[in-house]
Amino acid sequence: MRSREVLFGFLFSLSTMVSAQTDTLHIPSIREIYKHNNWLAANNPVGLSFNRFRSFSVAEAGYSYHNGNLGNVSIPASTSIYSVYSESFQTVNKVSLYGKIGYTQYQNGEQNWNGMTGDHWQAINLCDSISGKQRSEQYQLAAGFSLPVHQHWLLGAKAAYQVQLTAKDIDPRNKNQWMEWQFTPGMGYMYRDLQLGASFLYTHRKETVNYQNMGSHTAYPVLAAYPLGNFKTLSVGENVNWYYIGREVGGSLQLGFNRGPFKLFQEVDGSVINQAIESNRVQNRKEGESNIWQIDYKGKLQRVSPLFRHEWVWQATFGHVNNYDPLQHQTESDTWQSDGKLLRSTRRTSRYALTYEYDQLRDAWHPRFSIFSGISYYQAESALLFYPAKFTQPIHRFTVHATFVRNFLLPNALLDLSFGGQYGKGGGSILDEKQLQSGENTPEIPLWQNRNRLQQVFDYETMSRWGMNASITYTRSVPFSWFIRAGVNFERMPQYVIRENFQKIEVHTGLLF
Amino acid sequence: MKKVSYLLLVLILALASCSESEDQSYSVHIQLLPPDGYTTLPYEEMEVTLTNKDQGTVYSLHCSSTGQASLDVEPGYYSASVHHQTNAGLIFSGRIESLALLPDQGEAPDIIELPLSQAKTNALVIKEIYFGGCKGYYENYQADQYITLYNNSDQTIYLDGLCVGVVDPGNNLESPWMAYTEMKRIPVNDLTWQFPGSGKEYPLAPGEETTIATNAVDHTGGEFQHANSVDLSGVDWGFWDVSLERQNITAGVKPMTLLANLNPLLVMYALPVNGPTFMVFSLQDSPEEYVLDPENREPRPNASNQEKRYLMVPKEWVIDCIECVKDANSPKRVPNELDNGKCYIPGDRYSGRSIIRKKTGTTDGRTVYQDTNNSAEDIEVTTATLKTK
C-alpha cells in the first residue's frame, strides 16, 4: 500500500502542473463549469468539446467528520474522511482533454453488519455482527478526450479506474480489495443549434472478501446477508474467501438544443449488469448470481439571460434486480457442476425527481444569489422467495429540499453563504407474505431473521426526518485563485424515536488554475 | 423529443416483460413402500419431509391413505425422509439421501419410491427429569435431582460411551446460540458426562430404565433428613467426580465419567432449577479426542467472557432431547429438529414434581412412552416417581 501512495502522490503532483490560464480569472468554481456545459455530467466524452473555456483545473484537499447513523448500524457510527483530488479540463488546438485523480481515506468507527465495499453487490453480501474500527483507502484515476473529426462529427473516449482497499481491526476481520475500470467511447453530431450524441459503456468490477478470526481465543461467525433481515451463518473459526465479479454493458443517447435564451438537454442511459459470486475458484463452486438492468432518463431546461438563469431538471430512474441461487452438485473429482439457477430474491426500484433553480447573475459566471429547490419520490420493493412463500417489503419515500445561496463581492475575493433544509418521509410495509400457489404450505426456511436489523433498515428508509445544512466559501483571486469552504450538515429523526442523529462537518481547501 | 419518449417507453415495456418467473417449482410425487411383513400402514398419519441439501429449506406433507405424497418444491437437491411412531410404539422410518429435483429435465417426473423400515436402532429416551427440588425444613432443597433414561424399543441398547448433559445456557434468558448461530451444533453447558464401558458392559434391555442422580444418597434420612425429598441411594448411576468436593454418592452406585468440565472451580453439579434442556448424545468413535479438539469448542456469542469455550455437539448426534424451560414464555434453547416444543413445571418451584413422558400403551409386556419429538405433547408433570416407590 505504501508504494501505491508514493506513485499516487507523484501522479497527483503532475496533474496540478498546468500552463498559465486566463479562464480561471472568471470561473469561480468547478460547479459553474458543470452548470455551463450540461454535457459534462452526461455519459458521453464528446461533451468536453462544448466547454466555453480553454482551460480550468482544480486541486482540492478536504476533511469531513460524520457522526451518527440514524439507527442503521450497517452505517458506521462515526467516520473521518480525508481526501485529495485534482480535476482538469484543457483544450489544445481542437482536442479537448480531461483528467482526474483522487485519493480518499475513510476511518470508520463501530462498523458492523456490512463487510462489503459500497452497495454494488446485490445477491448475497458477507458481514459480521461484531462492531469495530475499519479503515479504507480509495484511489481514482480518470482521463478522457474529445476531437472534432468533421464539420459536424465528434469522437471521444473516456477511461476510469478505481481501487479501494478495506480492512477491519477486530475479529471476525474482513479484508477487501475492490477494483473497477470503466471505458466509454462516444460520438456526437452537431447541426446548427442541435447536438446529438451516442456512447457505449463497459464496466468491469471485482471484489475479493477475506474474513478470518486471527485471535486464538475468539471464533465469531461470518454471516451471509439475504434481503429482509435474513442471514445464514457460514462458518465459525474457518476463513471465508469469496470473489465477487461484475460486468456492466450499456449505452446512452444525448440530445442538446439551444435556441435563443433556451438550452435543452436530455439523456437516456440503459445498462445491463451481471454479477457472480464464487467461494472456491479451484473447485468452481458458486454462491450466487445477479442479473440487473437499469434505465435512467434526465432532462434539463435552462433559460439564461445576462441577469438571471432559470433551470428545471427532471429525472426518472428505474432498476430491476434478480438474484439467483446456483443449482449445482459436486462431481467425483470434487469440482462443482452447474445445473442451472433458482430465483431467490428481487428488488424493483424507481425514482422520480424534479428540481428548480433560480440564479440572479452578476455576470455569466457569478451568481449574486441562488435558490435551489426540489422534490423527489422513491419507491422500492424487495422480495425474498422460498416457494411457495414470497416475502416482500414495499417502501416509498418522498423528499423535499431547498437551499439558498448568497454571494458577496469582496475586494479580490468572493464570499458564498449557503443555508438549506430538507424533509423526507416514507412509508411502506415492513414485511408481507403471500403464497405464489394457493393450497401449498410454507416451507421451513433455513435462514434466521434478525428482526432488529429488519426494523433498523426499514426505519432508515421510511421514517420521517428533517435536516439542515450550511456552508461558507471564501474564494480569493489574487495573487492566485484559491478557496476554502466549511460546512455543516445535520439530520434528525423524530424525537419519540431513540435513534442516532446524523451530523457532519467538513472543511475543504483548494487551488483553481 | 417524441421519438425519444416513444423509444424509452418501448424499452421499459420490453425489459419489464422479460422479468423472471417467480413461480419456479418442481412437482415431486413420493410413494411410501411398507417394510416386509406389513401390507398396510396408517399412511395418513405419516409425514414426508424433503430437505434441500444446499439451502436447508424443509417441505413437509402428510401422505394420502395409499401412501402417496405430492409436493411442489423449489428446484434443487434434496433428501427425503419419513419418521412415524404408531400408538403401539412402533417406529417406521425411511430416507433417500439424495434426490435431484431439477427443472428442464424433459419428461414428466416419475413417482419416487421411499421404502420404509421399522426402526431397530436407538429408541433410548429421557423418561423423567426431577429437577425442581422440594421444600425442606428451613429452606428449599435442590440436591435431590435425578434423570431416568428408558429403552423404548424392542432391542437391547448399550449405554457404553453415551453422553448426557444440559444444553447451554442453563438460565432463563434468550439463548445467544439460538439468536446468533444456525444451531447446527448444540452447546453443552459446563459439564459433559459419559457412561463408562468398553462397548457392551452396560446393556439396557427393552422396557428397562436407568436412573442417574446428582447426589446418589438417601436424602430423607441419615445426615440429610429431608422428609419431602427422595431416597436416591439405590439408583444405578451418580453424577460424581473426585473434583466435585460437595457431590455425594453412596457406595455401590456407579459414577458417571466426567468427560469435560468448563468450570474447574465447580464443587457441585446440579440441574438448573428453572428447567434444564437435557440431552443424550453420542460422540461417535473417539469421544476423548472429540472433546479435546479445539475445533469442537466455541465461545458463547456476544459474551463478555470469550475464554470459556463450550463443547459443541452436532445435532445429528443427539439421541434424545427434552426442552424443559421455566414457563410458557421462556425462550427455546434447541432447534425444533431436536424438540418441536417445550415443557415446564407450572406453579411453585421446589414442589417435588418432575416432568415425565406420557405412556402410549404396552407392547409385548413393556411400556411404550410417547415420543413425537414434541415435549409439549409428550411430557406431563407428576410427583417424582421415585418418591412413591
Side-chain angles (χ1 to χ4, degrees):
Chain A
M1 195 173 284
R2 187 164 178 82
S3 57
R4 275 202 186 95
E5 288 173 340
V6 170
L7 176 62
F8 198 81
F10 176 67
L11 290 173
F12 181 77
S13 58
L14 279 182
S15 71
T16 60
M17 289 167 59
V18 295
S19 53
Q21 321 309 322
T22 56
D23 302 304
T24 51
L25 291 178
H26 64 269
I27 301 175
S29 67
I30 191 98
R31 182 175 178 269
E32 287 300 316
I33 299 290
Y34 282 85
K35 188 68 73 179
H36 280 77
N37 183 357
N38 298 320
W39 284 78
L40 290 181
N43 291 322
N44 195 333
V46 302
L48 293 169
S49 294
F50 303 131
N51 282 333
R52 292 167 52 199
F53 56 89
R54 296 197 63 78
S55 172
F56 179 85
S57 302
V58 59
E60 182 177 313
Y63 168 77
S64 67
Y65 176 73
H66 304 213
N67 186 44
N69 54 21
L70 298 168
N72 185 355
V73 295
S74 64
I75 299 173
S78 65
T79 304
S80 292
I81 304 175
Y82 306 84
S83 63
V84 290
Y85 100 97
S86 176
E87 197 171 3
S88 179
F89 300 88
Q90 306 291 329
T91 303
V92 179
N93 294 326
K94 292 184 180 178
V95 181
S96 299
L97 301 169
Y98 168 80
K100 180 178 177 182
I101 188 167
Y103 168 80
T104 308
Q105 184 183 107
Y106 303 85
Q107 294 183 1
N108 301 332
E110 295 179 53
Q111 171 75 72
N112 59 352
W113 296 105
N114 184 4
M116 310 300 296
T117 304
D119 57 358
H120 306 278
W121 311 108
Q122 301 292 323
I124 310 170
N125 288 341
L126 294 177
C127 67
D128 64 275
S129 61
I130 307 302
S131 176
K133 291 182 186 172
Q134 186 181 80
R135 181 177 157 175
S136 186
E137 292 187 349
Q138 184 188 83
Y139 304 83
Q140 281 182 317
L141 283 172
F145 77 91
S146 175
L147 172 68
V149 295
H150 183 263
Q151 181 185 1
H152 297 292
W153 293 93
L154 301 161
L155 286 179
K158 182 178 171 185
Y161 180 70
Q162 190 168 356
V163 167
Q164 188 159 348
L165 308 168
T166 304
K168 189 175 158 202
D169 70 349
I170 190 168
D171 287 342
R173 58 194 74 202
N174 58 298
K175 190 168 71 174
N176 298 39
Q177 296 181 43
W178 184 83
M179 183 278 292
E180 172 186 289
W181 66 265
Q182 194 175 82
F183 181 63
T184 310
M187 56 186 287
Y189 176 79
M190 301 182 296
Y191 181 75
R192 293 183 181 173
D193 298 327
L194 181 70
Q195 305 105 36
L196 300 172
S199 60
F200 172 78
L201 168 74
Y202 178 78
T203 305
H204 180 87
R205 294 186 185 95
K206 66 177 185 181
E207 182 167 7
T208 58
V209 185
N210 170 259
Y211 253 108
Q212 56 181 310
N213 283 281
M214 295 182 70
S216 60
H217 56 280
T218 56
Y220 293 103
V222 178
L223 311 171
Y226 285 76
L228 306 181
N230 288 282
F231 296 88
K232 178 161 71 173
T233 306
L234 290 181
S235 81
V236 179
E238 289 182 9
N239 292 353
V240 173
N241 290 297
W242 280 23
Y243 307 90
Y244 292 73
I245 304 138
R247 291 181 183 84
E248 180 177 358
V249 174
S252 306
L253 298 173
Q254 298 87 21
L255 180 147
F257 183 76
N258 305 328
R259 178 65 63 89
F262 293 97
K263 292 165 67 174
L264 174 68
F265 179 81
Q266 296 185 90
E267 181 178 45
V268 173
D269 299 311
S271 65
V272 290
I273 304 169
N274 176 261
Q275 297 176 349
I277 309 170
E278 297 173 348
S279 58
N280 190 322
R281 293 180 133 173
V282 173
Q283 294 180 349
N284 198 31
R285 177 173 167 93
K286 295 180 173 44
E287 298 294 338
E289 188 180 328
S290 299
N291 288 337
I292 305 159
W293 63 257
Q294 50 198 32
I295 292 176
D296 181 62
Y297 166 68
K298 49 182 174 283
K300 183 188 284 190
L301 177 65
Q302 288 177 317
R303 184 176 175 220
V304 185
S305 82
L307 295 178
F308 61 82
R309 181 169 60 203
H310 297 275
E311 183 177 284
W312 297 267
V313 178
W314 55 94
Q315 186 172 12
T317 306
F318 306 94
H320 184 123
V321 179
N322 282 347
N323 299 315
Y324 301 90
D325 281 348
L327 296 175
Q328 55 192 350
H329 69 276
Q330 199 163 20
T331 64
E332 288 179 358
S333 57
D334 285 344
T335 57
W336 290 84
Q337 183 175 325
S338 172
D339 299 303
K341 58 188 181 186
L342 177 69
L343 184 64
R344 177 62 67 210
S345 66
T346 64
R347 184 166 173 85
R348 313 278 187 265
T349 58
S350 60
R351 184 174 181 275
Y352 311 91
L354 188 64
T355 64
Y356 168 71
E357 180 172 344
Y358 170 74
D359 302 304
Q360 191 178 81
L361 302 175
R362 189 174 286 116
D363 58 48
W365 292 97
H366 297 87
R368 197 188 305 273
F369 71 79
S370 305
I371 300 172
F372 176 71
S373 63
I375 57 173
S376 69
Y377 179 75
Y378 169 79
Q379 62 183 30
E381 182 176 282
S382 300
L384 182 67
L385 297 103
F386 278 93
Y387 185 86
K390 180 180 178 183
F391 304 93
T392 60
Q393 183 188 79
I395 59 168
H396 60 270
R397 187 171 186 85
F398 177 80
T399 306
V400 59
H401 60 94
T403 303
F404 176 77
V405 183
R406 179 74 168 92
N407 177 271
F408 298 92
L409 190 62
L410 303 175
N412 297 317
L414 298 168
L415 185 70
D416 288 283
L417 299 176
S418 82
F419 180 79
Q422 67 198 49
Y423 176 77
K425 184 171 171 56
S429 175
I430 190 168
L431 196 65
D432 294 334
E433 181 180 347
K434 80 169 190 180
Q435 297 289 101
L436 295 173
Q437 186 73 29
S438 60
E440 298 281 348
N441 295 330
T442 300
E444 197 177 311
I445 293 168
L447 306 177
W448 56 276
Q449 189 172 59
N450 187 330
R451 291 293 300 196
N452 283 340
R453 282 293 299 140
L454 178 67
Q455 189 70 52
Q456 283 168 11
V457 176
F458 182 74
D459 287 347
Y460 178 78
E461 298 275 5
T462 60
M463 288 210 77
S464 64
R465 53 182 192 258
W466 58 268
M468 289 192 308
N469 57 82
S471 71
I472 178 169
T473 307
Y474 178 78
T475 308
R476 191 161 179 86
S477 55
V478 293
F480 49 82
S481 289
W482 64 274
F483 69 91
I484 183 165
R485 181 173 67 248
V488 294
N489 197 312
F490 178 81
E491 204 167 347
R492 186 184 171 89
M493 301 276 260
Q495 213 161 14
Y496 59 84
V497 174
I498 302 173
R499 297 287 186 207
E500 287 187 70
N501 298 318
F502 174 77
Q503 300 106 28
K504 178 173 90 170
I505 58 169
E506 56 182 347
V507 176
H508 295 261
T509 185
L511 298 172
L512 303 172
F513 296 93
Chain B
M1 173 63 179
K2 271 191 182 175
K3 282 186 182 174
V4 171
S5 303
Y6 179 69
L7 187 64
L8 176 64
L9 183 63
V10 167
L11 186 60
I12 292 172
L13 287 174
L15 286 169
S17 67
C18 294
S19 60
E20 190 81 18
S21 168
E22 295 172 341
D23 195 358
Q24 284 184 289
S25 64
Y26 186 98
S27 290
V28 58
H29 310 279
I30 294 182
Q31 173 67 58
L32 301 185
L33 301 179
D36 292 338
Y38 291 90
T39 54
T40 183
L41 288 173
Y43 292 119
E44 305 97 320
E45 299 171 18
M46 296 187 183
E47 189 175 68
V48 173
T49 300
L50 287 176
T51 305
N52 188 306
K53 299 182 74 173
D54 203 7
Q55 284 295 335
T57 319
V58 177
Y59 294 85
S60 301
L61 186 68
H62 279 277
C63 296
S64 67
S65 59
T66 58
Q68 258 207 22
S70 295
L71 305 94
D72 286 336
V73 302
E74 61 181 31
Y77 287 88
Y78 286 83
S79 64
S81 65
V82 173
H83 182 88
H84 174 73
Q85 181 173 346
T86 67
N87 291 335
L90 299 174
I91 298 173
F92 296 95
S93 62
R95 185 175 181 86
I96 297 175
E97 195 55 46
S98 186
L99 276 177
L101 306 178
L102 300 173
D104 304 327
Q105 283 192 328
E107 300 174 1
D110 294 333
I111 292 177
I112 298 167
E113 293 179 340
L114 178 53
L116 297 177
S117 59
Q118 190 179 344
K120 303 183 186 69
T121 56
N122 286 344
L124 181 67
V125 298
I126 302 168
K127 173 201 161 188
E128 180 182 359
I129 306 178
Y130 171 58
F131 63 91
C134 62
K135 301 286 185 193
Y137 280 117
Y138 302 108
E139 58 186 5
N140 297 323
Y141 189 65
Q142 194 198 334
D144 55 348
Q145 299 164 324
Y146 65 85
I147 294 160
T148 300
L149 306 180
Y150 182 85
N151 185 346
N152 213 24
S153 73
D154 63 353
Q155 308 286 325
T156 297
I157 295 169
Y158 294 92
L159 300 173
D160 302 51
L162 294 182
C163 299
V164 297
V166 173
V167 176
D168 187 74
N171 55 38
N172 194 45
L173 301 175
E174 183 183 9
S175 167
W177 304 96
M178 292 284 281
Y180 294 108
T181 72
E182 277 192 315
M183 294 299 283
K184 287 183 178 175
R185 301 199 297 179
I186 313 300
V188 183
N189 178 258
D190 280 356
L191 275 65
T192 303
W193 297 92
Q194 183 188 35
F195 287 100
S198 57
K200 296 212 174 193
E201 294 181 35
Y202 300 104
L204 195 66
E208 279 192 357
E209 63 186 45
T210 188
T211 299
I212 319 165
T214 54
N215 291 282
V217 295
D218 180 5
H219 297 271
T220 63
E223 64 186 283
F224 302 99
Q225 296 295 329
H226 293 282
N228 293 326
S229 186
V230 59
D231 181 2
L232 298 176
S233 60
V235 300
D236 305 306
W237 300 91
F239 289 114
W240 185 89
D241 186 84
V242 67
S243 63
L244 303 172
E245 298 170 356
R246 288 175 53 191
Q247 210 80 23
N248 295 302
I249 194 168
T250 301
V253 176
K254 296 181 287 291
M256 299 282 283
T257 301
L258 181 56
L259 194 62
N261 183 0
L262 300 183
N263 189 349
L265 299 179
L266 204 65
V267 295
M268 192 174 77
Y269 177 68
L271 304 176
V273 71
N274 282 328
T277 296
F278 199 82
M279 63 178 179
V280 182
F281 55 96
S282 166
L283 291 181
Q284 309 296 297
D285 296 327
S286 307
E288 292 79 16
E289 287 178 21
Y290 185 90
V291 163
L292 291 174
D293 188 348
E295 294 292 319
N296 302 322
R297 304 274 191 143
E298 289 177 24
R300 219 185 250 177
N302 280 9
S304 56
N305 179 9
Q306 291 296 307
E307 300 287 334
K308 189 172 183 179
R309 298 174 65 84
Y310 294 81
L311 180 67
M312 305 299 293
V313 179
K315 67 182 175 191
E316 298 79 23
W317 295 359
V318 176
I319 296 166
D320 192 30
C321 177
I322 288 184
E323 177 95 82
C324 183
V325 296
K326 181 183 176 186
D327 53 41
N329 296 322
S330 297
K332 281 181 65 66
R333 302 184 185 104
V334 291
N336 290 340
E337 301 98 297
L338 296 188
D339 190 333
N340 211 26
K342 50 190 175 183
C343 62
Y344 58 94
I345 297 178
D348 296 335
R349 305 289 124 202
Y350 306 100
S351 56
R353 292 178 292 168
S354 61
I355 56 162
I356 190 169
R357 272 189 196 276
K358 297 174 184 174
K359 294 179 186 175
T360 60
T362 57
T363 299
D364 299 330
R366 60 178 173 83
T367 304
V368 177
Y369 288 93
Q370 181 170 316
D371 183 13
T372 65
N373 199 40
N374 184 347
S375 55
E377 299 293 329
D378 296 342
I379 299 295
E380 59 187 359
V381 177
T382 186
T383 303
T385 59
L386 291 186
K387 285 190 178 182
T388 59
K389 286 186 178 175

